[in-house]
Amino acid sequence: MSDPDAIDNSTMDAGVEEEIHACLDLAQPRSFFLYAGAGSGKTRSLVNALKEVQTSSRKQLVLAGRGVAVITYTNNACEEIKQRLDFDPLVEVSTIHSLAWSLIGGYHADIRKWLRENIKQKLIELEAAAAKGRLGTKAAEDRQRSIAIGKKRLGRLDSIKRFVYSPTGDNRTRDSLNHSEVIGIAADFLKGKPLLQNILVSKYPIIFIDESQDTNKNLMDAFLAIQQAQKDRFCLGLFGDTMQRIYADGKVGLEKAIPADWATPVKKLNYRCPHRIIQLINRVRSAADGQMQQGPKDSVQGFVRFFILPNNMADVADVEEQFATKMAEVTGDSGWLKGEFKTLILEHHMAARRLGFDAMFTPLYAIERLRTSLLDGSLSSLRLFSEEVLPVVEAFRSDNAFRVAEITRKHSPLLRPEALSAAGSNQLIQIQKTKAAVVELAKLWNNDAHPSFQLVLDTLAATKLFVIPDALAIFLSQADMDETGDQRAEDKAVDDKEEDETSKIDIELEGWREFLATPFDQIKAYADYVAGKSPFGTHQGVKGLEFQRVKVVVSDEEARGFTFSYEKLFGAKAKSASDIRNEESGDETTIDRTRRLFYVTCSRAMESLAIVAYSEKPDAVRNSVVGEGWFTAEEVEVLTD
């Protein structure tokens, strides 16, 4: 393929930051959306814009008691930006959850009213589902327990004077809000309370949102509405790339929602990838938005290879090892032989299956409302198991009494200050009670047993060792938990007949029930995975990161997903009727979602890229990707055995 960078293009993006800086005049602010593709230095542009504000507007902002707010997606991103700005107090850098709570934290009466209406609505939905459902099934019992818990929470709202919330905590106390509630409340308050809008704009006349394409759609709509209402005194700066939207709750079609009077600078240089990989990702996204990148003139050429295997290939781990040898031969780079490459999995079911936590993962991933928090590790009901139960059991079984004490002091309600105070002179008894609870929990693993999450949950309820979230409290004290697997399967078959009539709440309850029946031991692999400690990276975990050598593994059969299809993207499978309808109406299709994931993973490579794809029709995939100009015939290899 020809090199598009024969001329010096080092000044291609020279005017981008000047265009952004011109938007930051407090007397005449202008909002903007910076399109910054992979490897273009988006964070650098964000930091440089903040430094411009520090230089040009510090005195004016400080005298008025105002500042600049920056919303990032992760705590790590927050720390990186703070460090680059030398922790300047003029700039408030926080995650979206932290900023949301800072806005609504003082409105306790309004929060109570919002919760009351929200709980009432959920109760209406539950009772409607109960009226339609079949009596005597587990689904019916789950609904009744959910109704009871909802009514209990509704009844105690008036006794809560102040609500609490921690962006990094589990928020399980009676007076706490969960993550989704804080986002929902903040979005509704920002839309419906002009006073709160004025407070926000008065405090922060400039707000930057990093990874804006993945910011919760309801909050993004609220910010866009505020900008339109306050455009003469408010600058909203969005940084991101719609091709890299990877979370389901991000705003679909954000680029179409940008008002015509905004600035829309575009960064076209990719400083990360070599020329050949830039050519590939340009072709991948060409059907999506037409945004093209180039590499600096002095970038290396780089290498890409596309290996295709049949779906029925046995011993995939052994088979995939040979590609490292092939890549070493192609590139002359011994790093491939030394295992110095990153393997990226394009769909979470693939990683779950390969790492051994697919049984616990699959039923929860099917619940759309939980999907984002499941993937980023913030789901409090799972953190009970991963951050409290797992470490305390591991510490106890390794005779680490100090670690056991540390965990229980931090998490157990038995050792909370109020519990110890209530015990008075009997505090030693309370400590002994905690130790006994840990012993009882650890017994579940005696004789090499592998307890289920349900058995662990029942033990926690009996010992009161840790606080159980409402989402799991529904499933406690059930006499039928000892029924045979056949009976559970029979009940599920009955419930499946009701599927068309069940609500999303029914689906969520069933998902939690299926999860609780799976082995607890899978939580370790899951926890390592979401923490980025597993051998595999995914599109969520690696966005913004870069690696010299990247191997991408693609398999629809392993992924078992219905929202993505690499067979469709690679031309081996026809579009479905729903894809065609969505395409005609301008809505997102399966191919759109898959294209974005493929773009994100391929664009991590700094030197060489190997793609390993499993397909029902290897020859069709080869013909399609070569015909589309993604790869040359020499770069594609089909293996049949």
Side-chain angles (χ1 to χ4, degrees):
M1 292 188 178
S2 61
D3 183 353
D5 300 303
I7 60 174
D8 184 2
N9 58 4
S10 60
T11 61
M12 176 179 289
D13 293 341
V16 169
E17 295 196 0
E18 285 76 5
E19 185 176 359
I20 293 173
H21 296 174
C23 296
L24 306 177
D25 182 354
L26 295 180
Q28 293 181 306
R30 185 184 184 193
S31 295
F32 63 89
F33 184 7
L34 171 65
Y35 289 83
S40 61
K42 169 178 60 64
T43 302
R44 181 172 63 249
S45 292
L46 189 155
V47 170
N48 286 343
L50 292 169
K51 289 181 177 179
E52 170 66 19
V53 176
Q54 288 175 318
T55 301
S56 63
S57 303
R58 174 183 295 277
K59 184 176 181 180
Q60 183 179 352
L61 289 169
V62 170
L63 288 176
R66 310 173 83 189
V68 179
V70 181
I71 301 170
T72 66
Y73 209 86
T74 66
N75 289 313
N76 288 340
C78 285
E79 290 305 309
E80 178 184 353
I81 293 172
K82 288 178 182 178
Q83 289 178 12
R84 292 199 196 186
L85 297 172
D86 296 324
F87 299 92
D88 186 350
L90 180 71
V91 182
E92 180 68 31
V93 188
S94 65
T95 63
I96 192 66
H97 290 91
S98 296
L99 181 71
W101 179 241
S102 73
L103 293 172
I104 68 172
Y107 293 84
H108 299 285
D110 293 311
I111 290 173
R112 185 179 298 105
K113 181 180 178 181
W114 188 95
L115 288 172
R116 183 176 289 110
E117 294 304 314
N118 184 261
I119 295 170
K120 284 181 178 179
Q121 182 58 42
K122 288 183 178 179
L123 287 172
I124 290 172
E125 294 172 6
L126 278 166
E127 289 167 348
K132 293 179 181 179
R134 189 185 300 273
L135 296 176
T137 64
K138 292 187 183 299
E141 294 172 4
D142 292 344
R143 291 186 207 111
Q144 292 305 318
R145 290 191 176 92
S146 295
I147 290 171
I149 287 176
K151 288 181 176 179
K152 185 176 181 180
R153 190 183 186 197
L154 188 63
R156 67 190 182 210
L157 280 180
D158 287 336
S159 66
I160 300 174
K161 303 306 179 186
R162 297 181 62 83
F163 293 92
V164 298
Y165 169 74
S166 169
T168 58
D170 294 323
N171 303 297
R172 294 188 213 139
T173 58
R174 291 184 177 185
D175 55 354
S176 65
L177 303 173
N178 62 44
H179 301 305
S180 61
E181 286 172 341
V182 166
I183 294 297
I185 294 169
D188 285 351
F189 283 13
L190 283 173
K191 291 177 184 177
K193 294 183 180 298
L195 177 60
L196 186 59
Q197 296 178 7
N198 286 325
I199 291 173
L200 175 68
V201 173
S202 296
K203 186 175 182 180
Y204 302 118
I206 298 174
I207 294 180
F208 293 162
I209 302 180
D210 193 16
E211 302 292 2
S212 54
Q213 72 279 353
D214 277 322
T215 299
N216 178 273
K217 53 182 172 288
N218 294 323
L219 271 175
M220 181 56 70
D221 285 340
F223 282 119
L224 291 172
I226 292 171
Q227 188 278 331
Q228 284 297 287
Q230 309 275 353
K231 64 173 65 177
D232 293 337
R233 63 191 191 105
F234 178 55
C235 169
L236 179 62
L238 306 184
F239 294 76
D241 177 13
T242 53
M243 193 64 185
Q244 297 189 67
R245 180 173 61 82
I246 54 178
Y247 284 107
D249 60 354
K251 184 173 176 60
V252 177
L254 175 60
E255 68 281 5
K256 299 175 184 177
I258 301 302
D261 59 349
W262 282 36
T264 53
V266 180
K267 301 196 74 172
K268 296 182 179 180
L269 278 177
N270 182 328
Y271 296 95
R272 174 192 302 147
C273 303
H275 292 307
R276 179 62 192 92
I277 295 175
I278 293 174
Q279 291 169 350
L280 170 62
I281 61 178
N282 281 346
R283 292 296 299 171
V284 169
R285 79 178 293 168
S286 62
D289 59 14
Q291 295 284 352
M292 297 288 107
Q293 290 184 302
Q294 293 184 26
K297 184 180 179 181
D298 57 356
S299 292
V300 298
Q301 182 64 19
F303 301 88
V304 297
R305 288 296 184 273
F306 193 81
F307 303 101
I308 313 172
L309 300 90
N311 276 341
N312 58 3
M313 184 71 70
D315 301 320
V316 294
D318 293 335
V319 171
E320 289 173 15
E321 284 186 4
Q322 67 180 291
F323 299 118
T325 302
K326 290 178 178 290
M327 289 302 295
E329 293 172 354
V330 168
T331 63
D333 181 358
S334 62
W336 281 98
L337 294 177
K338 297 175 183 177
E340 297 171 353
F341 57 87
K342 185 69 173 180
T343 299
L344 303 184
I345 300 293
L346 283 178
E347 222 285 334
H348 297 284
H349 282 107
M350 292 178 63
R353 179 179 176 184
R354 293 180 177 218
L355 295 172
F357 63 90
D358 53 326
M360 63 153 283
F361 179 83
T362 299
L364 297 182
Y365 189 76
I367 304 170
E368 185 176 357
R369 187 182 71 83
L370 303 181
R371 198 168 293 162
T372 297
S373 55
L374 173 68
L375 298 179
D376 65 20
S378 65
L379 188 57
S380 63
S381 297
L382 281 190
R383 290 174 64 161
L384 165 67
F385 298 116
S386 63
E387 298 186 9
E388 297 176 26
V389 175
L390 177 64
V392 82
V393 170
E394 288 182 335
F396 180 84
R397 290 170 65 83
S398 61
D399 295 322
N400 189 339
F402 177 81
R403 177 63 175 149
V404 170
E406 180 183 40
I407 296 167
T408 52
R409 278 199 303 268
K410 181 178 180 180
H411 296 291
S412 179
L414 298 175
L415 295 180
R416 283 180 181 164
E418 57 268 27
L420 293 174
S421 177
S425 59
N426 295 321
Q427 290 189 6
L428 181 59
I429 295 176
Q430 195 72 7
I431 294 173
Q432 292 171 339
K433 184 178 180 180
T434 307
K435 290 180 178 178
V438 174
V439 171
E440 191 66 23
L441 177 64
K443 281 182 182 178
L444 298 178
W445 282 265
N446 286 353
N447 302 317
D448 294 323
H450 299 282
S452 67
F453 284 95
Q454 181 68 59
L455 190 54
V456 171
L457 188 68
D458 290 342
T459 304
L460 294 180
T463 62
K464 296 181 172 56
L465 179 60
F466 297 124
V467 176
I468 296 175
D470 284 350
L472 297 178
I474 297 167
F475 303 98
L476 293 173
S477 303
Q478 301 179 61
D480 58 0
M481 286 311 298
D482 294 328
E483 288 181 353
T484 65
D486 290 340
Q487 182 62 48
R488 286 195 295 271
E490 179 182 335
D491 285 342
K492 187 180 185 304
V494 171
D495 289 343
D496 284 346
K497 294 177 182 178
E498 302 176 325
E499 185 173 359
D500 291 339
E501 299 180 2
T502 56
S503 67
K504 291 182 179 180
I505 293 177
D506 285 338
I507 295 171
E508 185 167 329
L509 292 171
E510 179 63 21
W512 278 116
R513 180 180 287 282
E514 290 183 19
F515 157 77
L516 288 169
T518 63
F520 175 89
D521 295 348
Q522 295 193 9
I523 195 67
K524 172 64 174 173
Y526 163 79
D528 287 345
Y529 176 68
V530 297
K533 299 177 182 177
S534 77
F536 304 126
T538 66
H539 51 281
Q540 277 94 343
V542 301
K543 189 173 68 170
L545 302 181
E546 55 191 25
F547 312 94
Q548 288 181 299
R549 308 162 197 87
V550 170
K551 181 179 78 171
V552 176
V553 182
V554 174
S555 172
D556 280 357
E557 187 175 79
E558 281 191 79
R560 293 184 295 170
F562 57 89
T563 58
F564 311 108
S565 175
Y566 304 99
E567 294 280 67
K568 291 181 182 179
L569 179 67
F570 297 147
K573 187 176 180 180
K575 298 176 183 177
S576 66
S578 62
D579 283 327
I580 295 173
R581 287 195 302 271
N582 288 340
E583 194 173 65
E584 291 174 347
S585 62
D587 294 329
E588 186 174 70
T589 68
T590 301
I591 294 175
D592 293 333
R593 288 187 290 269
T594 311
R595 188 189 308 276
R596 290 199 306 272
L597 306 192
F598 192 60
Y599 175 91
V600 169
T601 45
C602 290
S603 61
R604 303 306 97 195
M606 301 169 64
E607 294 180 4
S608 52
L609 169 68
I611 298 156
V612 180
Y614 294 85
S615 174
E616 292 181 357
K617 301 176 181 178
D619 290 335
V621 171
R622 176 187 55 195
N623 294 339
S624 176
V625 298
V626 172
E628 290 290 332
W630 290 13
F631 303 92
T632 66
E634 294 74 22
E635 292 172 333
V636 181
E637 183 175 351
V638 177
L639 285 81
T640 57
D641 52 41

